[in-house]
Amino acid sequence: MSRFFDLVSKPARDLGIPNVPSSTSAARERRSQLVKLDSNENPFGPSQRAIDAMQAALGNTNSYPDDDCGRLRRELASYHGLPPEQVMVTAGSTALLSLLCRTLLAPGLNAVTSERSFIVYSMAVQAAGGKLVEAPMQADCFNLEAILVAIDGNTRIVFLANPNNPTGTMLEAPVVESFLARLPGHVVLILDEAYYEFAKHFATLRKVKYSNSLDYVRQGASVVVLRTFSKAHGLAGLRIGYGLGPAELLAYCARMRNTFSVSSVAQAGGLAALDDSLHIRRVVENNVMQSHMLEVGLSGLGYRVVPTAANFLFCDVGEDAGGFANRLQEEGVAIRPLGHWGAPQCIRVTIGTPEQNQMFLRAASIVARGSGPGFREPSFARRK
Ligand SMILES: Cc1ncc(COP(=O)(O)O)c(C=O)c1O
């Protein structure tokens, strides 16, 4: 047994080896040359406005940042129509997920979510010493009845990723509202809206109501809404996100956070990006058009695609997804095989720029051609 096994905490022992990509420099070099459609990043990057603000902030990095993120918190509060005490800024929304878990959970307590949801929930819950209970899905969507059944007296958190990663499916506002009304008082609902801007745009086009989540926060419900600058704003590498929720709960979370964890450059970038509507419009409009193009292309290859409300597609390729992803990587494209999510024949592919998506479809058609029967000439190729 290793030297530290008996010394480290039980959660650290139980967490196992995280699923991190190989970090040898050769592997990194190879990966940097791939068309990267595996992490739901923004293919257009940050806006010029955000870049300028970050560059301007670089000259002051000899000073520690504002630990309270006061200016950004006030801007976010007025942007969302909430008091600043109901806003908490963290180094990415995943940092707030961990804080909420460490604040609300302990050994003997649990959190409930769906199977096949955001992988960080299980890591954050286990690191806090709690247990994650995963309710079964129903046809690629959350089964909210099953989630309600899984809640017991020791449940403190329910996570709903809306839209869900990796399936891309969305719960409409009335459905979330009636779910919330049925949650017992000892449970905090974490509504993870990392893909908010994409979902809102899809919902507008589909003439459905995506989210009333901030109303629940305004009404004082036990709800924390998570948002991030990592997706539509294109700042994933900066690490900045935030939560909107009950002031008292966020104040407890603030006690648990690391000092100075949100850099001054990140605060400046977030401030500049917050209402950069031109950039966000370009990103979400490309996403809708390209999601349609990818859906047609993948269906033309004979694959089942789940309609998305986010910036990625969940697709059943009808064979071992790990092997499929490896062959795709040989053709120069990185996507995410979903074996770890209990979907061994499914992949998640980020919606990229038109050029990236064409490269992906071209690579996928080569891989599909090598997969034998069932392959059909792709519709995008037929159109040429
Ligand atoms: C559902 C969900 N929540 C949160 C995040 C991560 O957000 P952040 O970069 O703000 O930590 C992701 C990223 O993939 C996600 O899919």
Side-chain angles (χ1 to χ4, degrees):
M1 194 45 63
S2 78
R3 215 170 116 206
F4 292 101
F5 186 83
D6 290 329
L7 299 184
V8 302
S9 70
K10 186 166 171 359
R13 267 200 305 264
D14 291 350
L15 258 168
I17 296 168
N19 173 32
V20 286
S22 161
S23 60
T24 65
S25 57
R28 270 202 307 274
E29 175 61 26
R30 260 199 317 279
R31 283 189 67 73
S32 72
Q33 289 160 4
L34 295 174
V35 175
K36 200 170 170 309
L37 301 177
D38 60 347
S39 297
N40 303 342
E41 292 151 341
N42 184 328
F44 295 106
S47 69
Q48 192 56 47
R49 198 207 278 194
I51 292 172
D52 291 345
M54 292 186 281
Q55 273 168 346
L58 286 176
N60 294 324
T61 46
N62 56 315
S63 302
Y64 285 108
D66 173 3
D67 193 34
D68 188 43
C69 303
R71 183 149 171 237
L72 178 55
R73 219 150 63 85
R74 284 192 299 279
E75 287 294 324
L76 285 166
S78 97
Y79 188 80
H80 292 301
L82 286 162
E85 303 72 48
Q86 291 197 259
V87 182
M88 182 165 180
V89 178
T90 50
S93 56
T94 40
L96 186 47
L97 277 175
S98 306
L99 282 177
L100 284 159
C101 289
R102 282 166 45 216
T103 305
L104 288 163
L105 298 177
L109 298 175
N110 69 66
V112 176
T113 191
S114 170
E115 66 173 333
R116 214 159 298 155
S117 191
F118 188 35
I119 203 136
V120 172
Y121 302 151
S122 100
M123 298 193 248
V125 168
Q126 287 182 67
K131 183 176 160 224
L132 185 70
V133 180
E134 294 183 325
M137 283 199 137
Q138 201 170 35
D140 303 315
C141 295
F142 288 156
N143 180 343
L144 294 180
E145 290 302 321
I147 291 180
L148 284 168
V149 166
I151 294 170
D152 65 21
N154 293 322
T155 305
R156 293 293 176 271
I157 293 174
V158 168
F159 298 106
L160 287 186
N162 192 26
N164 183 42
N165 176 8
T167 55
T169 45
M170 184 189 99
L171 296 168
E172 292 182 22
V175 175
V176 174
E177 203 149 314
S178 43
F179 176 77
L180 177 60
R182 294 172 67 193
L183 277 185
H186 61 277
V187 170
V188 174
L189 175 62
I190 300 184
L191 271 178
D192 185 344
E193 296 186 338
Y195 302 95
Y196 176 84
E197 294 80 3
F198 300 101
K200 190 156 181 281
H201 192 59
F202 274 113
T204 305
L205 296 175
R206 291 169 186 165
K207 298 190 172 32
V208 296
K209 179 77 190 165
Y210 162 45
S211 172
N212 288 330
S213 59
L214 297 191
D215 289 345
Y216 317 144
V217 176
R218 282 186 205 105
Q219 289 154 9
S222 293
V223 172
V224 179
V225 177
L226 299 185
R227 300 270 175 90
T228 182
F229 287 99
S230 296
K231 305 296 177 182
H233 304 83
L235 295 170
L238 198 60
R239 308 311 301 132
I240 184 150
Y242 57 99
L244 308 148
E248 184 190 355
L249 176 59
L250 295 186
Y252 279 117
C253 289
R255 294 181 185 181
M256 307 288 280
R257 76 179 162 201
N258 290 337
T259 314
F260 302 133
S261 53
V262 183
S263 76
S264 43
V265 178
Q267 293 183 40
L271 257 176
L274 174 60
D275 60 352
D276 198 347
S277 46
L278 274 183
H279 185 67
I280 294 170
R281 188 170 349 127
R282 174 182 180 219
V283 168
V284 298
E285 284 178 355
N286 171 77
N287 191 67
V288 163
M289 277 184 329
Q290 290 300 308
S291 71
H292 181 67
M293 200 279 293
L294 282 174
E295 263 187 69
V296 171
L298 285 167
S299 307
L301 291 173
Y303 301 144
R304 183 178 72 86
V305 183
V306 174
T308 189
N311 68 343
F312 54 86
L313 290 174
F314 180 86
C315 174
D316 186 339
V317 293
E319 62 165 297
D320 171 55
F324 184 93
N326 288 341
R327 298 204 307 283
L328 208 59
Q329 187 155 324
E330 281 160 25
E331 300 300 327
V333 181
I335 51 97
R336 184 77 56 159
L338 298 174
H340 284 291
W341 282 259
Q345 298 202 330
C346 296
I347 60 163
R348 188 194 68 197
V349 54
T350 305
I351 299 163
T353 61
E355 298 72 31
Q356 289 176 323
N357 298 331
Q358 286 298 336
M359 286 167 81
F360 161 69
L361 282 180
R362 216 163 283 131
S365 77
I366 293 168
V367 169
R369 208 173 272 132
S371 300
F375 168 71
R376 285 189 277 129
E377 189 65 22
S379 49
F380 74 91
R382 276 202 303 269
R383 276 204 301 275
K384 277 192 191 160

